[in-house]
Amino acid sequence: MIPAQIIALKRDGGELSDSQIGQFIAGFAADEIPDYQMSAMAMAIFLNGMTDAETASLTHHMLNSGARLSWPENGIPRGDKHSTGGVGDKISIPLAPILACCGLQVPMLSGRGLGATGGTLDKLESISGYRTDLSLSEVTQLTQEVGCVITGASPELAPADRRLYALRDVTATVPSIPLITASIMSKKLAESPDALVLDVKFGSGAFMKTKEQARALAQSLVQTGERMNVRTTALLTDMNQPLGRMCGNANEIKESIDVLKATGPDDVTELTLDLAAELLHSSGLAESVEDARRSAQATIDDGSALQKLEQMVVAQGGSSLDVSIAEAHEVCAQRAGVVQAVETEQLGLAVIALGGGRRQMTDAIDHSVGFEYLVRVGDTVEAGQPLIKVFAQNAEIVSDQVIGAITIGDTGSPLTLVAERLTADNC
Ligand code: URA
């Protein structure tokens, strides 16, 4: 079939075969199918969706458009976590060393901030000298020597996704479950992992605004991972307020270190341990999720996970875990009441307004700015009580945005962070 016939089949709601999808993606990767035909195909997929088999096939062919990490057959399991992104989500930074200390090798390929959500690479670049551009051979070497790396995805991995993502961004085809699934999973599967865990977020600070949308995405991700023979589980987590207290870059590094010193906020510590437990169990390193969680907790208690983070930072060129944070200014409640709701996306955008995120890909980041979220949904507050500490010289530019993002009412109840767990058996 010529490309236009394959596009027409999808446009009319038909199901594409594996060979039609393979022909299309291989043609796109080889520059034989131009961007305008790929954009038309993305829109046809956006409008008509894909079956599970089509989504798995799309993922498989996008994965095959590039290189894959290769590992020795030495019985050591490898795994990774992917988060759909949130405000204050620094989990990868304490998680990778905890997993490495428990015997899982973690070649974590992370991203930069997207929209209002922060990016792990931007946070790690608060550490002077830290390299996020490791080559594929450095990733495989350091993962085996240290146990974990956190770096950017190199252009050799899933190059079809890199080009397709740029097209989706400008053709209004980003929010499509099969396209998101193939995009995320082709990059993660290029690490050749034995197991994956997905943190799929919903709420005011997430890409997926409702739990139902997040569940549908999580189901698609888990089913695709399992079809590709990688043990995959997912947690649906609430992003209706920032994760932890710190949002920004350098201050999130500090909070990640606090988690490994057992002095971090409860929500970040609990979610880190929950995700660690899922991966250690699904990769066969623990008999049960409960045993896995105990092993992960032990690496915090004995200080080994903190030492492992230091080792990883040094191996990636970082000098020390000391980071610099701008001066703090408090923003206070204008009335007494209960914290009812948070427009978390607005708080993420406030970090960007301070210079802690990018408006355009070429923007430089000020790693020292951000804020500390001092209350939680359901807390009772007094008029004049500090709600947020803004770290910036020009903190006043976001005061109204920050105050407007936090609704104080007469009632409100605490949120449950982990709403659901999805495995191959229940989705
Ligand atoms: N993150 C990705 O990597 N791809 C998407 O399509 C959406 C979020």
Side-chain angles (χ1 to χ4, degrees):
M1 266 191 187
I2 60 167
Q5 286 175 303
I6 305 179
I7 300 168
L9 186 57
K10 191 74 235 167
R11 178 201 62 199
D12 296 339
E15 180 169 348
L16 301 180
S17 67
D18 181 58
S19 75
Q20 287 161 342
I21 295 173
Q23 178 193 334
F24 209 91
I25 296 300
F28 176 60
D31 269 337
E32 287 155 11
I33 290 188
D35 286 357
Y36 54 82
Q37 283 187 312
M38 191 69 231
S39 303
M41 176 60 97
M43 186 58 81
I45 295 171
F46 177 87
L47 293 173
N48 291 312
M50 279 186 138
T51 63
D52 293 346
E54 285 178 299
T55 305
S57 165
L58 182 62
T59 308
H60 169 77
H61 292 293
M62 282 179 33
L63 168 65
N64 281 356
S65 71
R68 294 174 78 157
L69 298 182
S70 58
W71 304 107
E73 297 271 338
N74 56 8
I76 299 176
R78 278 123 207 146
D80 195 2
K81 177 225 47 154
H82 178 82
S83 159
T84 56
V87 177
D89 184 0
K90 71 278 293 168
I91 298 283
S92 295
I93 300 163
L95 178 65
I98 288 176
L99 293 168
C101 288
C102 294
L104 187 74
Q105 290 186 346
V106 187
M108 192 179 272
L109 304 179
S110 291
R112 301 204 174 268
L114 192 67
T117 66
T120 302
L121 300 182
D122 297 327
K123 295 171 208 215
L124 283 165
E125 284 174 358
S126 313
I127 299 171
S128 163
Y130 188 91
R131 284 183 54 212
T132 56
D133 62 350
L134 300 184
S135 66
L136 291 188
S137 60
E138 286 174 313
V139 172
T140 40
Q141 185 198 332
L142 290 181
T143 301
Q144 291 174 81
E145 278 174 19
V146 177
C148 55
V149 300
I150 309 181
T151 182
S154 84
E156 299 101 306
L157 300 176
D161 173 62
R162 197 171 274 251
R163 285 185 47 212
L164 177 54
Y165 193 87
L167 290 181
R168 288 167 57 211
D169 205 20
V170 291
T171 55
T173 50
V174 169
S176 149
I177 285 183
L179 292 175
I180 297 173
T181 302
S183 171
I184 291 173
M185 295 302 277
S186 61
K187 285 176 292 209
K188 286 288 152 183
L189 294 169
E191 297 168 7
S192 309
D194 299 291
L196 287 173
V197 67
L198 304 155
D199 180 1
V200 183
K201 299 194 173 293
F202 61 90
S204 61
F207 200 34
M208 296 286 160
K209 297 296 173 204
T210 67
K211 201 191 291 184
E212 290 65 37
Q213 290 170 335
R215 187 184 298 118
L217 176 59
Q219 283 168 340
S220 173
L221 293 164
V222 170
Q223 282 160 1
T224 304
E226 292 286 332
R227 271 177 183 264
M228 311 283 286
N229 295 318
V230 174
R231 297 294 313 276
T232 309
T233 56
L235 299 181
L236 294 194
T237 66
D238 195 319
M239 204 358 91
N240 282 301
Q241 65 186 337
L243 185 55
R245 295 161 63 103
M246 297 297 191
C247 299
N249 292 290
N251 60 348
E252 292 200 41
I253 295 292
K254 187 178 170 307
E255 189 166 86
S256 303
I257 294 166
D258 288 345
V259 169
L260 297 182
K261 287 181 173 165
T263 56
D266 289 349
D267 61 339
V268 183
T269 305
E270 294 301 311
L271 184 54
T272 304
L273 292 173
D274 286 346
L275 290 163
E278 290 297 332
L279 260 183
L280 294 173
H281 176 241
S282 62
S283 61
L285 283 165
E287 293 277 311
S288 67
V289 175
E290 293 71 27
D291 281 352
R293 209 173 190 284
R294 277 190 286 277
S295 307
Q297 176 73 59
T299 70
I300 297 181
D301 296 343
D302 67 10
S304 57
L306 181 59
Q307 276 176 10
K308 185 59 74 182
L309 177 67
E310 284 163 348
Q311 191 188 351
M312 182 191 86
V313 164
V314 169
Q316 292 193 224
S319 45
S320 98
L321 288 178
D322 289 335
V323 287
S324 84
I325 300 173
E327 188 189 333
H329 301 264
E330 287 175 346
V331 177
C332 300
Q334 291 171 341
R335 58 160 284 194
V338 179
V339 180
Q340 209 163 55
V342 179
E343 260 305 320
T344 314
E345 190 172 8
Q346 284 305 318
L347 294 181
L349 293 173
V351 175
I352 297 176
L354 292 169
R358 294 181 190 80
R359 289 196 181 85
Q360 294 177 352
M361 281 313 289
T362 47
D363 286 351
I365 283 191
D366 180 350
H367 293 98
S368 70
V369 301
F371 64 82
E372 183 172 359
Y373 172 62
L374 300 169
V375 289
R376 308 220 57 88
V377 172
D379 283 359
T380 301
V381 295
E382 301 299 328
Q385 179 178 330
L387 299 178
I388 290 226
K389 250 189 226 173
V390 179
F391 302 107
Q393 269 187 339
N394 53 349
E396 68 288 348
I397 65 166
V398 296
S399 306
D400 289 347
Q401 190 171 355
V402 164
I403 272 291
I406 301 180
T407 306
I408 312 273
D410 296 327
T411 55
S413 8
L415 304 173
T416 302
L417 180 56
V418 179
E420 281 176 37
R421 171 173 183 261
L422 280 86
T423 66
D425 300 330
N426 72 351
C427 76

